[in-house]
Amino acid sequence: MTQSLLAQQIDALLTGETNQMANLANASALLNDSLTDINWVGFYLYQPDANELVLGPFQGKVACMHIKVGQGVCGTAFANKEVLRVANVHEFAGHIACDSASNSEIVLPLHNAAGDLIGVLDIDSPSLDRFSQADEAVLAEFEQALAKHL
């Protein structure tokens, strides 16, 4: 199977760079430039001492800084170790509204090179039902390519 263009781009962009924050910053910038109809893209990183996700590198408007594991779309995706595609965030029980303009969301668990769960990739859209199963597949492949550099 051929790697998606986004996965190829992130792999090429990050080759030789070992700084996690720099790599996540460039990953969010690449996604922001490559995806259409989104209004926020970034990372929340797990802080075990507080059992919460803390805002990491992102592109978009100001964001929530702390999300408890198990709360909201990001905290639920992290706790359940699964991708969540939410067609209408206003119908998601416990949704944390950081930006009222966001209407749909996709959140993917984020791993490092060792395979440890270290946070989530979060992408929001102002459109309802923006993220398809095909988007999920491309983003999952992107996350796998990114993980090699974290």
Side-chain angles (χ1 to χ4, degrees), residues 62-113:
V62 296
C64 301
M65 291 184 273
H66 301 269
I67 299 174
K68 288 288 183 192
V69 170
Q71 294 184 355
V73 181
C74 289
T76 300
F78 183 86
N80 295 341
K81 299 177 180 70
E82 66 182 2
V83 176
L84 282 181
R85 270 189 298 131
V86 181
N88 183 344
V89 295
H90 309 290
E91 295 176 353
F92 187 90
H95 174 250
I96 301 167
C98 297
D99 181 355
S100 62
S102 293
N103 287 308
S104 64
E105 184 171 7
I106 186 168
V107 178
L108 296 92
L110 178 68
H111 300 85
N112 63 16

Side-chain angles (χ1 to χ4, degrees), residues 17-51:
E17 180 54 61
T18 59
N19 184 281
Q20 182 183 48
M21 285 302 148
N23 288 345
L24 292 174
N26 269 333
S28 65
L30 176 61
L31 288 171
N32 191 55
D33 285 343
S34 301
L35 300 175
T36 59
D37 196 24
I38 64 167
N39 60 340
W40 199 92
V41 56
F43 299 93
Y44 283 93
L45 302 173
Y46 182 57
Q47 302 298 310
D49 55 328
N51 195 36

